[in-house]
């Protein structure tokens, strides 16, 4: 069996990052909080699904078109600041533009398009949504204006509200500091409180995979409150009132990372529900096809064992031990498939004895003795000790002693760690 030294194990980087919260109105660009992208939504959310997975098209330098010269803006329109000290410089420019004359409100789209051309960003992701929108967030029949900046500028959400003199006053929050360019995708009452939420979206692509991000924001008591910050790779999303309580649940289908280096992966569906204060993850449903792979059957067996569901654990370990090709494509497997099934055979033997099922235990013990993998040695020591002592714990310790400390089931991805075999035999996921 291939052995892997703990010294060779790399650090595993998590996929999901969370966005930072609101920034103060005096936050300088140099002090902007770090954050990862989130996910996405659309105006027609219920019950239509959001096709949020964005293909990445890489243009070679030989065929790439030259960058077009930015369109000249009217002389009385503001250009973006060239060396801003604070994000408030962007906020002030846009506020002054809107207040300069009423017709400028209808020119915000053209102004922001001009700013986008000035940035000449190379972000390949297709952003969906609006750069600005006129809304009524507090049901007072007064028009507020929501604005987000184009790609290449600070990730601001700006809200302009009318004061008693009919002058727009700015409010803003910093969503992230990735400069990927958020768009206003949805303004809708999601929580059934009579007040609309704001959903903003951004996206970014690497060589193989696109990441989608959403931030769901409430405007209450003259302040922004983020109630969900979410990032996912190649996702699709939809909304539905799954509990028939008037609030909408967010359904996120996460895709796989489009890279062999991501290792073994599994798609999953996540449900985010309103808990009265925030949207929180309420359930995770692994993809049923991916889950038939021996690797996931094995890991799900350990999860069942940790939940003290011995019947389910035995069923999953047996399924992994008896799994037959062809298996679902879940990423790079290498030589780990044989080792995965070997561990599953041993666990099927162990859980059968744990359940008092001696006949099944003998069946799997016979299979281990026909195996060319290390489960033959583990099971031999396990059974000889158990027959001598009738002590399962002593038998487990004897089997574990046959495994070197630097022997791992690697099969990990960006999210899943290498698993030391010594802790797996009769044990649980570390």
């Amino acid at each position: 069996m291939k052995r892997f030294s703990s010294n060779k194990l790399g650090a595993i980087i998590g996929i999901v990052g969370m966005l930072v919260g609101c920034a103060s109105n005096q936050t300088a660009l140099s002090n902007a909080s770090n954050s990862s992208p989130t996910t996405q939504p659309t105006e027609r959310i219920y019950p239509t699904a959001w096709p949020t997975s964005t293909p990445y098209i890489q243009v070679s330098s030989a065929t790439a078109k030259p960058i077009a010269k930015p369109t000249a803006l009217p002389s009385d329109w503001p250009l973006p600041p060239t060396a801003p000290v604070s994000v408030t410089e962007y906020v002030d420019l846009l506020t002054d533009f809107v207040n300069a004359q009423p017709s400028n409100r209808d020119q915000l789209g053209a102004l922001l398009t001009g700013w986008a051309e000035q940035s000449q960003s190379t972000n390949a992701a297709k952003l969906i949504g609006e750069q600005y929108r006129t809304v009524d967030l507090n049901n007072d029949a007064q028009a507020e204006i929501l604005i987000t900046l184009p790609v290449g500028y600070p990730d601001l959400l700006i809200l302009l509200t009318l004061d008693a003199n009919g002058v727009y006053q700015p409010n803003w929050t910093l969503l992230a500091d990735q400069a990927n360019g958020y768009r206003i995708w949805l303004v809708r009452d999601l929580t059934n409180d009579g007040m609309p939420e704001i959903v903003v979206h951004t996206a970014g692509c690497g060589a193989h995979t696109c990441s989608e991000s959403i931030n769901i924001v409430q405007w209450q008591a003259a302040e922004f409150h983020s109630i969900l910050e979410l990032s996912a790779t190649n996702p699709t999303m939809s909304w539905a009132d799954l509990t028939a309580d008037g609030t909408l649940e967010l359904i996120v289908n996460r895709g796989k990372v489009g890279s062999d280096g991501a290792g073994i992966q599994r798609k999953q569906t996540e449900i985010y529900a309103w808990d009265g204060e925030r949207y929180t993850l309420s359930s995770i449903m692994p993809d049923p096809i991916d889950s038939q792979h021996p690797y996931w059957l094995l890991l799900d067996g350990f999860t069942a064992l940790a939940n003290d569901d011995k019947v389910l654990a035995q069923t999953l370990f047996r399924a992994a031990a008896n799994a037959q090709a062809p298996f679902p494509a879940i990423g790079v497997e290498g030589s780990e498939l044989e080792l995965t099934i070997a561990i599953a055979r041993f666990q099927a033997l162990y859980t059968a004895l744990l359940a008092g099922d001696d006949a099944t235990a003998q069946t799997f013990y016979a299979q281990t003795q026909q195996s060319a993998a290390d489960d033959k040695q583990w099971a031999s020591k396990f059974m000889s000790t158990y027959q001598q002592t009738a002590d399962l714990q002593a038998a487990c310790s004897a089997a574990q002693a046959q495994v070197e400390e630097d022997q791992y089931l690697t099969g990990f991805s960006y999210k899943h760690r290498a698993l030391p075999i010594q802790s797996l035999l009769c044990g649980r996921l570390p």
Side-chain angles (χ1 to χ4, degrees):
M1 182 192 70
K2 187 175 182 180
R3 298 178 179 178
F4 296 81
S5 169
S6 57
N7 293 330
K8 295 181 180 179
L9 294 177
I12 308 306
I13 302 172
I15 293 178
V16 178
M18 301 299 290
L19 291 177
V20 296
C22 299
S24 86
N25 283 358
Q26 300 301 318
T27 302
L29 286 179
S30 59
N31 294 328
S33 302
N34 292 328
S35 172
S36 301
T38 23
T39 355
Q40 53 190 74
T42 175
E43 283 189 69
R44 298 178 57 204
I45 57 167
Y46 176 66
T48 306
W50 300 339
T52 61
S53 183
T54 306
Y56 176 71
I57 301 175
Q58 189 170 19
V59 181
S60 67
S61 58
T63 59
K65 296 181 179 179
I67 298 175
K69 184 177 180 180
T71 303
L73 297 176
S75 59
D76 58 341
W77 287 15
L79 291 173
T82 55
V85 175
S86 169
V87 295
T88 56
E89 294 187 38
Y90 297 94
V91 177
D92 292 342
L93 283 174
L94 293 171
T95 304
D96 292 344
F97 177 75
V98 170
N99 282 325
Q101 52 187 2
S103 61
N104 281 358
R105 300 171 198 171
D106 298 326
Q107 299 298 330
L108 267 173
L111 174 65
L112 293 168
T113 298
W115 281 22
E117 293 177 355
Q118 294 284 335
S119 76
Q120 296 184 342
S121 171
T122 58
N123 187 357
K126 182 180 179 182
L127 301 180
I128 304 173
E130 298 171 333
Q131 209 73 74
Y132 84 100
R133 183 182 295 191
T134 300
V135 295
D136 182 3
L137 292 181
N138 51 11
N139 297 327
D140 63 353
Q142 294 281 355
E144 291 90 43
I145 302 174
L146 283 171
I147 304 172
T148 57
L149 300 184
V151 177
Y153 297 101
D155 288 323
L156 289 171
L157 176 61
I158 303 168
L159 175 64
L160 304 182
T161 60
L162 283 169
D163 64 15
N165 298 316
V167 177
Y168 280 101
Q169 301 296 331
N171 309 270
W172 61 270
T173 185
L174 188 63
L175 301 165
D177 75 350
Q178 304 301 311
N180 278 339
Y182 277 84
R183 296 282 183 89
I184 303 161
W185 201 326
L186 176 70
V187 179
R188 176 171 177 158
D189 182 7
L190 304 175
T191 61
N192 197 31
D193 64 351
M195 308 292 284
E197 278 68 45
I198 307 159
V199 187
V200 291
H201 159 263
T202 189
C205 292
H208 304 283
T209 303
C210 289
S211 177
E212 308 277 350
S213 302
I214 60 169
N215 196 327
I216 305 178
V217 179
Q218 290 180 326
W219 174 251
Q220 293 182 349
E223 290 185 354
F224 287 109
H225 302 275
S226 176
I227 58 174
L228 179 66
E229 301 162 346
L230 179 66
S231 180
T233 54
N234 300 333
T236 58
M237 303 186 187
S238 60
W239 290 88
D241 186 357
L242 301 176
T243 56
D245 64 352
T247 67
L248 297 181
E249 282 71 47
L250 173 62
I251 306 165
V252 180
N253 294 293
R254 289 182 180 266
K256 296 180 180 179
V257 176
S259 168
D260 286 345
I264 293 177
Q265 304 173 67
R266 171 165 57 173
K267 291 182 291 186
Q268 64 186 36
T269 298
E270 301 169 354
I271 307 297
Y272 292 82
W274 175 244
D275 67 3
E277 295 184 359
R278 291 183 58 84
Y279 270 91
T280 57
L281 180 62
S282 62
S283 66
I284 299 176
M285 294 166 283
D287 182 85
I289 303 300
D290 290 347
S291 297
Q292 297 308 304
H293 192 282
Y295 181 82
W296 294 117
L297 290 169
L298 176 66
L299 264 61
D300 289 346
F302 280 112
T303 299
L305 204 56
N307 293 333
D308 203 31
D309 192 340
K310 298 182 179 66
V311 174
L312 178 58
Q314 186 177 12
T315 299
L316 291 166
F317 288 138
R318 290 174 65 175
N322 294 325
Q324 299 293 319
F327 302 118
I330 63 170
V332 176
E333 297 168 348
S335 61
E336 297 301 303
L337 186 56
E338 181 183 6
L339 178 56
T340 298
I341 293 175
I343 297 171
R345 273 195 298 263
F346 181 88
Q347 287 299 107
L349 162 62
Y350 164 67
T351 53
L353 288 176
L354 201 61
D357 187 351
D358 291 341
T360 300
Q362 288 299 328
T363 298
F364 278 100
Y365 178 67
Q367 289 185 18
T368 66
Q369 298 312 290
Q370 299 299 316
S371 171
D374 282 2
D375 57 324
K376 180 177 182 178
Q377 181 181 357
W378 306 333
S380 295
K381 196 65 176 177
F382 174 87
M383 285 300 286
S384 63
T385 304
Y386 181 69
Q387 289 169 352
Q388 293 171 14
T389 65
D391 185 341
L392 268 179
Q393 186 55 53
C396 287
S397 297
Q400 292 164 357
Q402 303 301 305
V403 184
E404 297 180 16
E405 290 185 2
D406 62 350
Q407 286 184 268
Y408 288 86
L409 175 64
T410 55
F412 55 84
S413 72
Y414 298 143
K415 290 180 63 177
H416 302 282
R417 298 173 296 162
L419 304 173
I421 297 173
Q422 216 173 50
S423 68
L424 294 181
L425 301 187
C426 303
R428 301 186 179 192
L429 295 176

